[in-house]
Amino acid sequence: MNVFIITPIEIKNNSRIEINVDDKALRELVAITQDTKLSQILGETLYNRVISAIYEFNVSSTPIENDIIELLPYLKNYLRYQVIADFIMIN
């Protein structure tokens, strides 16, 4: 299941990464960062809750629980900065 907590558009709109950067490259970095770094920070249980909540919201408009909603800005900030750092390192 490919669920993104932050999208390439959100990264581009809130950083100095230019619009012409390939979305595919950013999606890959987001997926890797979520799966390897963020999952370790949050722990498997919380990480799976966040991913499931976002997936259910995207698929069936199931409301996201308040505690997850409160976490999302922090998770997006972390992912944005980590993806930017990783992008700089590989380019």
Side-chain angles (χ1 to χ4, degrees):
M1 155 173 50
N2 260 346
V3 176
F4 298 102
I5 296 171
I6 192 168
T7 65
I9 298 299
E10 289 175 292
I11 293 170
K12 290 177 184 181
N13 287 342
N14 295 296
S15 70
R16 298 181 72 80
I17 290 184
E18 297 180 15
I19 298 299
N20 64 350
V21 170
D22 183 29
D23 283 356
K24 182 180 178 187
L26 288 178
R27 272 194 302 274
E28 288 175 11
L29 284 173
V30 169
I32 291 167
T33 303
Q34 283 182 186
D35 292 343
T36 60
K37 297 176 182 173
L38 185 62
S39 64
Q40 289 181 346
I41 293 169
L42 295 180
E44 185 177 338
T45 303
L46 181 54
Y47 177 75
N48 288 335
R49 276 187 61 211
V50 170
I51 295 299
S52 294
I54 293 169
Y55 176 79
E56 291 300 324
F57 178 77
N58 290 338
V59 170
S60 60
S61 299
T62 303
I64 298 175
E65 298 173 30
N66 284 337
D67 58 339
I68 303 289
I69 289 173
E70 290 176 9
L71 267 179
L72 286 177
Y74 300 101
L75 301 179
K76 288 180 183 238
N77 278 337
Y78 168 77
L79 286 169
R80 182 174 61 244
Y81 291 117
Q82 188 61 56
V83 167
I84 290 168
D86 292 343
F87 181 80
I88 290 169
M89 294 295 289
I90 64 171
N91 284 305

